């Protein structure tokens, strides 16, 4: 009985335990997000208690067998990145997303950032999508450490941005290699929603596989691809207005006329305007006899329209994964009166259609293919005179020059002044530009594990074709000079004297430019781990051919590249990279070069001696050295090993009755010409602190040798031909870049983040061919050093001029700029008194991102800035009246020299004569170009997913966004520090909606 009794108790106890296990060990669902509330997809969640695993889906969701208070482990790309304490069913987990252990884009494929010693930075899709720029390249401004951006124009759809990786290391070429999905192309006209990431490769280990194309860094743009899951449909709609950030103000007709008379007096000329005319301009009640036209008000809109819409499809299965996008963008221009001519429109507007389809098809378990088709159609309409010229004319036309229209409806003007902006925009014709761009690429991948585990082979090809056609429809117009005439009865009449000739569209000029690029590659990849050892290697053959219109000989490139990475215990890594490649621009005996690189990295946080430092979540030290090349010949040097002959006059031959055209050698032969070589050293570290702070730092030192340079100045014309350029110059470039980010999600529901980056690069020319007596020696100076005179105020009177060094630049008088004589003993101002007074390239740049979110409501902002010097002597707001009778800015009117303000003036006296002395480059016109700009600000709401699920939506976001909203700078006058002339930089205000089904 006792045995039965205890057996019964034992069975009951087992049932109780089993029921307890059933109660606590069950399927638990949850989702994971980053500390910035970004969904984390593709993360592996493990329960070490029972061995169960799960992968987070496209919304970060997962289901796993676990009990309350179990500690789950989270892995990404094979690396443990966090631990989660089970909270219960449906919990949302926030964890730090370590960017330094992810697989990212590298040279010719993906690389494991944990194992790589490369210096790189990545801009992800969420930041790119949070922009409304008409030029997608602008999304990179201030976002990537080590990437300097310079803007040259603000016209919608224009490619007005230049990018530089780690500053300048050459005075000949500085543009980085830009690849979209692995093939050369710019990305300014991609739709911002089709991009998955933008990666900047900065050191030799990261770029050496590109060999003689990589001296200036590499930018990789990767478009989105599909995933294994139900098809998602995303609709993006963005609408806004565009307006100038700033425009200079100019004086009215009365003040302008007085200043012209003052200039005449300074020049010893009779007054241009009589007292009666001055009174007429002052009263401003007779617009035809005394015009007073605010040309900006009359010709420019205060705001214009913008829209960007797109539709995305993304999804797939284990056999096929796909992504597709179709997008449309439209932006209007700033000019008014573009529909005045009933025959045609002169509106400067921009339209673009983007399309893309990427597919990954798994034909068998060992054989798959990757397909990509993308492109765009663009159309641009502009006034025939051109937007830049029209803007310049609007700004430079004084208020009293002419009226828009005379009383009889004719264009105002005169024999001397025929460029009436109104006539130019309505009567000169228009241009229509069409662009077609298409890219097709196909890659085949085969698993060769039958030969060796981890071995794969791939072949791929790409075809790019681009066509741009410009049609210029030219018309002409008449302007009429309105003159008062004495009538027979003694009264005053009006007559109109025409100048020019009015015609409708009289000519059509068509220009066409097109190119195509074909690329073929073959790969062998090996990726395998052996216990504590891991090897990842790639061997690549690459061939490409670039053909331009009207250029019979293609630009061919080919070579072999190798990359190998060895890792031990996921702690110690070595990278070996090499490329042997060349192109057909050089002598066949000297077409190929070898470009090696080596790097090493150490994940110190994996060491036992750091295991007790709980604040140190991750730390990796890395260093690299290598050589990369630049074969950009800058329009010169191609086939320099072949004699070049050109037509050169004519001569009589024998007894012929006419002349025979002669030939002469135009440039001598240089069969030794080759690429420049950038020797690059890099050392840096990546760290994660307190599971919340990401920190990265790099120091670099580069020496670029054999830079192509002309030595023509030292060759006499007696030689009879131009001496070829040679590989001679040398530049040293050094600096650092760093990025820092912090993000946190609080239990109260608040989440916030702050990110910052900074970069500094300083170059010095160490070898440059110059004449010994050159007044501006380059060696020892920066590539972009500004040379000029040191201004020493203004000449006050004749005695001041007499007691000062002799000025050889021009005749001077009181109110002209006085300069320091820095050449000992010569007592004169000449070109040898020029010195370095500034640097036009930003040596330092920085950016910052801020964000705050609570229960779906969020606000974010990005700021960026740089430090540089600007020489403004050529800008019309600092040059009143120009070289004659140009316009006068409000700034110039308040600051030009007069005897009364001789101690406060910042600009020289007024003159209508060209004066070289007053407007030569000098410290007088040197401006501090430092700025800090609020680049983007956004306020939005992310709708609750539980509400959206009822209407079959997975996500939805409504936002208000602005770009280029405010700027802090030290520039005198109404000048934008980034775009100082031509089409102004535009700010925008947008409202948008993103909906995903």
């Amino acid at each position: 009985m006792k045995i039965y009794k205890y057996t019964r108790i034992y069975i009951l106890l087992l049932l109780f335990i089993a029921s307890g296990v059933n109660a606590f060990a069950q399927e638990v669902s949850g989702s994971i997000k980053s500390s910035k509330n970004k969904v984390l997809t593709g993360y592996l969640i493990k329960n070490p208690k029972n061995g169960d695993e799960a992968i987070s889906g496209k919304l970060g969701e997962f289901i796993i067998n676990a009990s309350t208070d179990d500690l789950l482990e989270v892995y990404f790309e094979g690396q443990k990145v966090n631990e989660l304490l089970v909270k219960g069913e449906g919990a949302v987990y926030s964890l730090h997303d370590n960017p330094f252990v992810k697989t990212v884009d590298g040279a010719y494929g993906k690389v494991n950032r944990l194992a790589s010693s490369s210096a790189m930075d990545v801009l992800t899709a969420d930041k790119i999508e949070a922009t409304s720029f008409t030029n997608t390249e602008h999304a990179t401004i201030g976002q990537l450490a080590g990437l300097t951006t310079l803007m040259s124009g603000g016209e919608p759809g224009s490619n007005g941005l230049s990018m530089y990786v780690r500053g300048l290391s050459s005075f000949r070429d500085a543009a980085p290699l830009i690849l979209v999905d692995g093939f050369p192309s710019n990305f300014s006209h991609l739709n911002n929603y089709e991009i998955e990431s933008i990666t900047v490769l900065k050191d030799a280990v990261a770029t050496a596989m590109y060999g003689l194309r990589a001296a200036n860094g590499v930018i990789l743009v990767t478009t989105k691809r599909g995933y294994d899951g139900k098809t998602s449909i995303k609709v993006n709609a963005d609408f806004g207005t565009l307006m100038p950030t700033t425009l200079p103000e100019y004086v009215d007709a009365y003040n302008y006329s007085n200043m012209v008379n003052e200039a005449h007096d300074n020049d010893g000329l009779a007054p241009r305007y009589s007292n009666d005319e001055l009174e007429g301009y002052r009263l401003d009640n007779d617009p035809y006899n005394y015009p007073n036209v605010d040309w900006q008000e009359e010709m420019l809109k205060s705001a214009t329209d913008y829209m960007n819409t797109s539709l995305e499809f993304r999804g797939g299965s284990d056999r096929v994964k796909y992504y597709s996008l179709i997008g449309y963008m439209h932006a209007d221009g700033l000019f008014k009166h573009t529909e005045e001519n009933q025959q045609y429109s002169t509106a400067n507007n921009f339209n673009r259609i983007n399309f893309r389809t990427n597919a990954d098809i798994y034909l068998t378990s060992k054989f798959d293919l990757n397909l990509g088709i993308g492109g765009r159609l663009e159309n641009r309409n502009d006034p025939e005179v051109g937007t830049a010229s029209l803007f310049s004319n609007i700004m430079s036309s004084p208020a009293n020059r002419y009226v828009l229209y005379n009383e009889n409806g004719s264009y105002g003007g005169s024999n001397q002044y025929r460029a009436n902006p109104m006539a130019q925009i309505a009567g000169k014709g228009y241009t229509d530009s069409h662009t077609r761009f298409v890219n097709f690429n196909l890659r085949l991948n085969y698993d060769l594990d039958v030969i060796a585990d981890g071995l794969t082979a791939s072949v791929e090809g790409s075809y790019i074709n681009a066509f741009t056609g410009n049609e210029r429809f030219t018309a002409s117009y008449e302007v009429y000079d309105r003159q008062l005439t004495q009538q027979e009865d003694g009264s005053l009449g009006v007559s109109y004297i025409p100048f020019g000739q009015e015609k409708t569209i009289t000519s059509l000029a068509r220009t066409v430019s097109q190119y195509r690029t074909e690329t073929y590659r073959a790969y062998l990849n090996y990726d395998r781990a052996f216990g504590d050892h891991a090897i990842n290697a790639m061997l690549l053959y690459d061939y490409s051919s670039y053909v331009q219109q009207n250029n019979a000989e293609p630009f061919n490139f080919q070579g072999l590249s190798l990359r190998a990475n060895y890792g031990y215990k996921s702690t110690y890594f070595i990278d070996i990279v090499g490329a042997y490649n060349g192109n057909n621009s050089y002598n066949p005996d000297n077409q190929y070069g070898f470009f090696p690189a080596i790097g090493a990295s150490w994940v110190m946080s994996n060491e036992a001696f750091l295991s007790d430092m709980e604040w140190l979540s991750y730390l990796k030290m890395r260093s690299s050295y290598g050589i990369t090349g630049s074969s950009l010949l800058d329009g010169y040097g191609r086939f320099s090993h072949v004699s070049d002959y050109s037509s050169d006059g004519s001569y009589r031959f024998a007894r012929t009755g006419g002349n025979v055209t002669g030939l002469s050698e135009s440039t001598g032969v240089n069969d030794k010409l080759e690429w420049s070589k950038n020797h690059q050293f890099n050392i840096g570290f990546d760290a994660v602190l307190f599971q919340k702070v990401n920190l990265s730092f790099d120091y670099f030192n580069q020496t670029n040798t054999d830079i192509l340079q002309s030595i023509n100045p030292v060759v006499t014309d007696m030689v009879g031909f131009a001496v070829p350029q040679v590989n001679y110059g040398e530049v040293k470039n050094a600096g650092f870049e760093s990025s820092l980010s912090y993000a946190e999600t609080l239990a109260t529901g608040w989440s916030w983040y702050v990110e910052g980056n900074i970069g500094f690069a300083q170059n010095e020319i160490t070898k440059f061919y110059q004449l010994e007596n050159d007044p501006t020696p380059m060696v020892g100076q920066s590539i972009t050093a500004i040379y000029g005179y040191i201004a020493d105020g203004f000449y006050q009177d004749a005695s001041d001029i007499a007691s000062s060094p002799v000025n050889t630049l021009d005749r001077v008088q009181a109110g002209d700029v006085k300069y320091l004589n820095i050449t000992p003993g010569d007592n004169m101002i000449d070109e040898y008194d020029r010195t370095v007074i500034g640097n036009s390239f930003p040596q330092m740049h920085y950016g910052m991102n801020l964000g705050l979110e609570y229960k779906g409501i969020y606000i974010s902002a990005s700021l960026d800035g740089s430090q540089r010097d600007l020489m403004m002597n050529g800008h019309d707001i600092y040059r009143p009246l120009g070289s004659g009778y140009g316009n006068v800015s409000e700034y110039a009117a308040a600051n030009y020299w007069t005897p009364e303000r001789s101690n406060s003036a910042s600009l020289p006296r007024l003159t209508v004569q060209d004066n070289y002395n007053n407007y030569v480059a000098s410290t007088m016109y040197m401006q501090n170009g430092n700025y800090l700009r609020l680049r983007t600000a956004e306020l939005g709401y992310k709708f609750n997913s539980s509400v959206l699920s009822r209407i079959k939506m997975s996500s939805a976001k409504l936002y208000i966004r602005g770009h280029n909203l405010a700027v802090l700078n030290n520039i005198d006058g109404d000048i934008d520090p980034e775009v100082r002339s031509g089409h102004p930089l535009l700010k925008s205000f947008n409202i948008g909606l993103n909906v995903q089904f």
Side-chain angles (χ1 to χ4, degrees):
M1 292 292 296
K2 282 186 177 182
I3 293 175
Y4 173 76
K5 177 180 178 181
Y6 288 122
T7 302
R8 186 173 59 179
I9 294 173
Y10 179 72
I11 293 173
L12 290 174
L13 183 60
L14 287 177
L15 291 173
F16 176 77
I17 293 172
S19 66
V21 170
N22 255 349
F24 296 101
Q26 57 187 346
E27 281 192 342
V28 176
S29 66
S31 60
I32 56 174
K33 294 184 177 181
S34 73
S35 49
K36 293 169 59 178
N37 268 346
K38 176 186 174 183
V39 168
L40 299 178
T41 301
Y43 281 67
L44 174 65
I45 296 95
K46 291 183 178 180
N47 189 341
K49 282 190 175 181
N50 56 27
D52 199 19
E53 297 182 353
I55 301 291
S56 61
K58 65 180 181 179
L59 298 179
E61 76 281 3
F62 66 90
I63 299 176
I64 194 169
N65 284 307
S67 304
T68 303
D69 296 332
D70 278 358
L71 193 64
L72 307 179
E73 297 176 341
V74 183
Y75 292 80
F76 189 81
E77 305 290 353
Q79 298 297 316
K80 183 178 177 180
V81 296
N82 219 317
E83 295 180 342
L84 304 179
L85 184 65
V86 176
K87 301 176 183 178
E89 180 69 15
V92 178
Y93 301 91
S94 175
L95 66 154
H96 181 80
D97 186 20
N98 186 347
F100 304 123
V101 299
K102 291 187 174 183
T103 296
V104 296
D105 294 313
Y108 295 104
K110 299 290 185 179
V111 297
N112 186 338
R113 197 169 181 182
L114 172 78
S116 175
S117 59
S118 300
M120 60 176 63
D121 206 356
V122 183
L123 184 64
T124 52
D126 55 322
K127 292 181 180 177
I128 302 168
E129 292 177 1
T131 62
S132 301
F133 296 113
T134 59
N135 179 340
T136 307
E137 287 182 353
H138 291 190
T140 63
I141 299 175
Q143 297 296 316
L144 293 159
L147 183 68
T148 302
T149 55
L150 292 180
M151 204 160 325
S152 60
E155 187 172 3
S158 68
N159 191 13
L161 191 75
S162 299
M163 295 180 288
Y164 305 90
V165 177
R166 291 187 162 177
L168 299 176
S169 60
S170 172
F171 50 76
R172 192 56 188 260
D173 57 79
L177 175 66
I178 301 177
L179 305 170
V180 177
D181 287 336
F183 302 100
S185 178
N186 70 59
F187 61 99
S188 62
H189 298 306
L190 292 182
N191 186 288
N192 59 323
Y193 283 99
E194 66 184 297
I195 300 177
E196 185 69 46
S197 65
I198 299 173
T199 304
V200 179
L201 307 182
K202 297 181 282 192
D203 70 336
V205 161
T207 62
M209 285 192 77
Y210 297 105
L212 53 73
R213 299 182 294 175
N216 300 315
V218 180
I219 299 177
L220 305 176
V221 180
T222 301
T223 60
K224 294 177 180 176
R225 308 198 72 85
Y227 56 74
D228 187 353
K230 183 180 177 182
T231 299
S232 68
I233 302 173
K234 188 177 181 182
V235 181
N236 310 298
D238 191 282
F239 303 91
T241 60
L242 304 171
M243 59 195 71
T245 55
T246 185
L247 290 173
E249 296 291 334
Y250 294 90
V251 298
D252 63 12
Y254 174 69
N255 286 296
Y256 177 80
S257 303
N258 273 298
M259 283 187 280
V260 169
N261 280 354
E262 184 178 340
H264 272 225
D265 184 56
N266 291 336
D267 297 335
L269 303 174
R272 182 179 177 92
Y273 300 102
S274 67
N275 289 333
D276 288 342
E277 288 175 312
L278 291 176
E279 183 65 9
Y281 289 126
R282 186 188 69 81
L283 293 174
D284 193 22
N285 56 11
D286 187 355
Y288 296 106
N289 286 313
Y290 306 104
N292 184 22
V293 181
D294 185 336
W295 287 103
Q296 291 188 51
E297 177 68 25
E298 293 290 346
M299 301 301 299
L300 300 178
K301 304 173 187 176
S302 59
T304 188
D305 299 327
Y306 160 87
M307 68 174 293
N308 183 18
T309 60
S310 62
L311 184 63
E312 298 176 84
F313 301 87
R314 198 172 192 181
S317 64
D318 58 348
R319 301 300 298 271
V320 178
K321 300 179 178 66
Y322 56 87
Y323 171 82
S324 292
L325 172 139
I326 182 75
Y328 172 70
M329 175 184 286
H330 170 80
D332 275 330
L334 291 173
F335 295 126
K336 295 180 181 178
H337 309 295
T338 56
E339 308 301 325
E340 293 288 324
N341 196 310
Q342 296 181 359
Q343 296 181 346
Y344 50 80
S345 170
T346 59
N348 60 316
N349 55 41
F350 172 75
N351 295 276
R352 185 180 75 211
I353 295 174
N354 290 88
F355 57 89
R356 179 166 302 279
T357 293
N358 291 331
D360 303 309
I361 303 171
Y362 300 87
L363 302 174
T364 70
S365 60
K366 297 181 181 295
F367 184 37
D368 64 89
L369 64 87
N370 314 121
L371 173 68
I373 302 173
R376 67 180 187 271
L377 303 173
E378 292 180 3
N379 185 75
R380 179 187 292 281
N381 196 88
D382 287 304
E384 192 273 345
V385 70
T387 56
S389 296
L390 191 52
F391 263 104
S392 177
N393 192 25
I394 291 171
M395 300 300 172
S396 62
S397 294
N400 72 346
R401 179 165 287 177
Y402 31 56
V403 293
L404 274 75
Y405 294 107
N406 293 308
E407 296 102 317
N408 64 352
S410 62
Y411 298 122
S414 66
N415 184 36
Q416 184 178 4
Y417 301 115
R418 302 189 185 191
N420 184 325
M422 185 69 216
Q424 284 188 330
I425 200 167
K428 190 74 168 64
Y430 69 101
T431 62
D432 199 8
S433 175
H434 307 271
T435 296
R436 301 192 299 271
F437 177 93
V438 64
N439 168 227
F440 172 84
N441 57 76
L442 176 66
R443 177 166 175 159
L444 305 176
N445 307 292
Y446 193 78
D447 191 340
L448 296 176
D449 60 355
V450 66
I451 299 175
D453 289 342
L455 183 65
T456 59
S458 304
V459 293
E460 71 178 341
S462 168
Y463 178 80
I464 297 174
N465 185 276
F467 169 89
T468 298
N470 297 292
E471 297 180 317
R472 184 177 295 275
F473 299 88
T474 303
S476 59
Y477 58 85
E478 290 177 318
V479 296
Y480 289 81
D481 190 0
R482 180 182 183 275
Q483 295 189 357
L484 298 178
T485 58
Q486 189 80 27
Q487 304 296 315
E488 293 181 359
D489 59 1
S491 63
L492 291 177
V494 178
S495 64
Y496 300 95
I497 302 176
F499 297 96
Q501 189 175 17
E502 183 174 355
K503 292 183 180 179
T504 58
I505 300 297
T506 56
S507 66
L508 167 61
R510 288 190 174 95
T511 58
V512 172
S513 64
Q514 55 185 329
Y515 69 87
R516 73 174 186 271
T517 303
E518 299 176 17
T519 303
Y520 305 97
R521 294 172 184 157
Y523 301 80
L524 272 179
N525 292 278
Y526 184 71
D527 188 5
R528 192 176 177 190
F530 307 85
D532 292 336
H533 308 274
I535 297 176
N536 180 280
M538 172 192 292
L539 178 64
L540 164 75
Y541 169 75
D542 188 6
Y543 171 84
S544 67
S545 179
Y546 171 75
V547 181
Q548 286 179 314
Q549 182 186 10
N550 300 325
N551 196 328
E553 186 69 23
F555 292 78
N556 293 334
F557 168 91
Q558 72 172 346
L560 290 170
S561 300
L562 170 70
R563 179 181 69 219
N565 175 270
Y566 167 75
Y568 178 66
K569 291 187 175 181
S570 296
T571 302
Y572 312 100
F573 300 94
I574 294 177
D575 285 296
I576 298 175
V577 185
Y580 182 75
N581 52 33
N583 67 39
N584 65 337
S585 293
Y586 301 102
N587 185 337
D589 296 330
N590 191 39
Q591 288 184 346
Y592 291 88
F594 179 59
F595 305 93
I598 187 168
S601 57
W602 176 23
V603 184
M604 296 179 66
S605 52
N606 286 347
E607 299 287 1
F609 63 84
L610 293 178
S611 60
D612 294 335
M613 296 184 181
E614 297 183 359
W615 58 272
L616 184 63
S617 308
Y618 177 83
L619 175 63
K620 182 174 82 170
M621 305 295 296
R622 47 188 169 73
S623 184
S624 67
Y625 177 80
I627 303 172
T628 55
S630 174
S631 66
L632 301 177
L633 298 180
D634 196 21
Y636 172 86
R638 195 167 192 233
F639 308 128
S640 64
H641 56 283
V642 179
S643 296
D644 183 20
Y645 294 88
S646 61
S647 299
D648 188 12
S650 61
Y651 61 94
R652 288 189 176 274
F653 182 74
R655 297 181 178 180
T656 58
N659 292 336
V660 177
T661 300
L663 292 176
S664 67
E665 189 173 6
S666 58
T667 304
V669 171
N670 180 3
D671 58 2
K672 303 297 183 182
L673 191 72
E674 60 180 16
W675 45 89
S676 64
K677 306 164 191 67
N678 199 358
H679 305 251
Q680 304 181 54
F681 170 76
N682 188 91
I683 187 169
F685 69 85
D686 305 315
V688 177
L689 312 177
F690 304 104
Q691 285 285 351
K692 296 179 180 180
V693 179
N694 298 332
L695 174 62
S696 181
F697 178 88
D698 283 273
Y699 166 80
F700 61 90
N701 195 308
Q702 306 172 346
T703 301
N704 200 355
T705 63
D706 296 324
I707 301 172
L708 198 64
Q709 185 183 354
S710 172
I711 60 172
N712 277 333
V714 301
V715 178
T716 174
D717 290 340
M718 292 294 291
V719 173
F721 57 83
V723 173
Q725 299 193 30
V726 297
N727 298 103
Y728 186 84
E730 181 180 284
V731 173
K732 290 186 181 295
N733 182 45
F736 69 88
E737 65 246 356
S738 182
S739 61
L740 177 69
S741 66
Y742 178 86
E744 187 167 17
T745 297
L746 304 177
T748 56
W750 289 88
S751 65
W752 61 282
Y753 66 88
V754 57
E755 303 169 340
N757 70 80
I758 187 170
F760 175 82
Q762 188 174 51
N763 62 71
E764 178 186 347
I765 298 174
T766 52
K767 194 176 181 182
F768 191 87
Y769 205 103
Q770 282 184 288
L771 296 174
E772 291 184 5
N773 62 344
D774 195 307
T776 55
M778 304 285 286
V779 173
Q781 303 298 337
S782 170
I783 295 171
T784 50
I786 301 174
Y787 291 83
Y789 296 89
I790 301 175
D792 188 25
F794 303 96
Y795 295 109
Q796 299 301 319
D797 49 37
S799 63
D800 188 10
I801 296 173
S803 62
S804 299
V806 177
N807 192 318
T808 67
L809 304 181
D810 209 331
R811 294 179 60 187
V812 293
Q813 65 184 66
D816 289 337
V817 186
K818 182 166 61 173
Y819 302 109
L820 288 179
N821 175 26
I822 63 173
T823 306
D826 66 356
N827 196 37
M828 67 174 59
I829 302 298
D830 58 17
E831 61 182 352
Y832 289 95
D833 292 306
R834 296 172 69 221
T835 187
V836 174
I837 58 176
N839 195 321
S840 62
F841 189 85
Q843 291 186 321
M844 181 174 290
H845 61 88
Y846 42 87
M848 178 180 291
N849 297 319
L850 307 167
L852 178 68
E853 183 173 344
Y854 180 70
K855 294 187 176 180
I857 300 173
Y858 70 92
I859 185 171
S860 63
S862 66
L863 302 94
D864 64 86
S866 68
Q867 295 183 358
R868 65 187 297 198
D869 299 313
L870 301 174
M871 176 54 63
M872 307 297 288
N873 59 314
H875 202 290
D876 64 352
I877 80 159
Y878 303 104
R879 192 166 186 170
L881 302 175
S883 298
Y885 299 96
N887 212 350
V888 180
S889 67
E890 292 279 7
Y891 173 80
N895 289 281
Y896 69 86
W897 184 94
T898 67
E900 294 74 26
R901 54 187 183 198
S902 59
N903 294 325
S904 61
S906 58
L907 297 174
R909 66 180 174 91
L910 295 175
T911 178
V912 294
Q913 299 173 348
D914 197 11
N915 189 306
Y916 177 76
N917 176 82
N918 285 348
Y919 295 103
V920 71
S922 74
T923 55
M924 174 159 291
Y925 301 102
M926 184 63 65
Q927 294 280 331
N928 180 345
N930 301 349
Y931 72 88
L932 174 64
R933 188 183 294 278
L934 177 58
R935 186 70 60 180
T936 301
E938 184 173 324
L939 173 66
Y941 178 69
K942 299 175 183 177
F943 291 86
N944 189 283
S945 58
S946 61
V947 176
L948 294 174
S949 62
R950 302 172 189 171
I951 52 176
K952 307 301 182 182
M953 286 187 187
S954 57
S955 66
K957 181 176 76 171
L958 178 67
Y959 61 84
I960 300 172
R961 178 184 298 157
H963 289 308
N964 301 324
L965 299 178
V967 63
L968 295 175
N969 68 94
N970 297 306
I971 296 181
D972 297 329
D974 301 315
I975 296 292
D976 190 284
E978 288 188 274
V979 180
R980 296 171 298 285
S981 60
H983 195 291
L985 180 65
L986 300 177
K987 59 184 173 183
S988 66
F989 296 92
N990 302 70
I991 183 170
L993 178 66
N994 307 131
V995 178
Q996 185 167 327
F997 300 90

